[in-house]
Amino acid sequence: ETGVTQSPTHLIKTRGQQVTLRCSSQSGHNTVSWYQQALGQGPQFIFQYYREEENGRGNFPPRFSGLQFPNYSSELNVNALELDDSALYLCASSPGLAGSYEQYFGPGTRLTVT
Amino acid sequence: DAKTTQPTSMDCAEGRAANLPCNHSTISGNEYVYWYRQIHSQGPQYIIHGLKNNETNEMASLIITEDRKSSTLILPHATLRDTAVYYCIVRHYTDKLIFGTGTRLQVFP
């Protein structure tokens, strides 16, 4: 069974650019959530996708957007990058929405905005 | 905002039990208590969860008080590889995890 994978591992972008981060969910999982983790902080919820539809969003501006594909993989897009967007971006998948399901996290993508 | 309160840091001797407390006084009846940990530069790892009964798995035990306002994660025989930040989270059916700053557990030889 393959776990959650994310690409790329590291990324350096310039302020104002756009970035796309990718996540492959664990086999059989139809729910993907994205989190942003700034240095020294806990992960912050960005949004969640369930069966290709957005299902909940945290306190992030519209320039953070996402997609989920029929195979349940997902993308996180960030437009007009700002210096404060520098963080570890984590993707997590789960087999459903019910509260008793645990989430499985990928290793993250480290984004640096200069 | 996170609904839990945890100590900022704790130490534990290798081979001893590590007991990590968590307060969640505003937990509602349909919210679960989850524990995750994050080893440096890795994604968080699920440890255990429970609703109102005590739970045990191969990694840890979770003790939830009868009034559900607090819980304790127990690592029965801590090893150096258990050094990590431990997050206690209360979670509703929407599947959203709200992380606080967690407890940094340092296991020493």
Side-chain angles (χ1 to χ4, degrees), chain A residues 91-110:
Chain A
C91 163
S93 74
S94 60
L97 289 175
S100 61
Y101 290 123
E102 61 267 27
Q103 293 191 0
Y104 296 86
F105 283 80
T109 294
R110 172 82 52 194

Side-chain angles (χ1 to χ4, degrees), chain A residues 5-22:
Chain A
T5 60
Q6 294 186 242
S7 62
T9 305
H10 296 87
L11 200 54
I12 299 174
K13 289 286 190 177
T14 303
R15 189 171 53 182
Q17 287 186 315
Q18 177 267 342
V19 69
T20 298
L21 310 181
R22 295 179 174 81

Side-chain angles (χ1 to χ4, degrees), chain B residues 1-88:
Chain B
D1 292 342
K3 297 181 178 181
T4 61
T5 304
Q6 299 178 252
T8 303
S9 63
M10 295 182 65
D11 291 337
C12 179
E14 190 176 22
R16 304 297 294 268
N19 296 279
L20 290 87
C22 179
N23 288 320
H24 32 80
S25 58
T26 61
I27 191 170
S28 62
N30 57 2
E31 287 181 320
Y32 291 79
V33 179
Y34 276 75
W35 283 84
Y36 281 77
R37 73 180 182 183
Q38 188 172 23
I39 297 170
H40 183 63
S41 297
Q42 298 181 19
Q45 177 190 23
Y46 165 80
I47 301 173
I48 198 168
H49 74 278
L51 185 61
K52 54 183 177 180
N53 297 320
N54 297 337
E55 302 288 344
T56 296
N57 63 19
E58 65 278 4
M59 289 182 67
S61 294
L62 173 61
I63 308 298
I64 302 175
T65 57
E66 192 168 342
D67 64 6
R68 302 186 72 234
K69 293 184 177 181
S70 65
S71 61
T72 301
L73 178 75
I74 301 172
L75 307 178
H77 306 287
T79 71
L80 299 179
R81 288 177 293 181
D82 292 322
T83 292
V85 177
Y86 287 77
Y87 296 98
C88 170

Side-chain angles (χ1 to χ4, degrees), chain A residues 15-105:
Chain A
R15 189 171 53 182
Q17 287 186 315
Q18 177 267 342
V19 69
T20 298
L21 310 181
R22 295 179 174 81
C23 170
S24 292
S25 59
Q26 188 163 319
S27 177
H29 288 189
N30 57 19
T31 304
V32 172
S33 303
W34 285 91
Y35 296 83
Q36 179 195 66
Q37 186 173 24
L39 203 59
Q41 303 296 315
Q44 300 298 307
F45 175 74
I46 303 175
F47 44 56
Q48 179 186 86
Y49 279 84
Y50 171 64
R51 293 185 175 180
E52 303 179 59
E53 297 288 331
E54 185 179 294
N55 181 68
R57 186 181 184 92
N59 189 25
F60 281 82
R63 59 189 185 84
F64 285 78
S65 63
L67 282 174
Q68 188 178 30
F69 300 99
N71 66 355
Y72 302 132
S73 66
S74 178
E75 287 183 354
L76 165 65
N77 298 289
V78 186
N79 293 322
L81 283 167
E82 301 177 359
L83 297 178
D84 285 348
D85 296 333
S86 295
L88 180 68
Y89 288 84
L90 296 159
C91 163
S93 74
S94 60
L97 289 175
S100 61
Y101 290 123
E102 61 267 27
Q103 293 191 0
Y104 296 86
F105 283 80

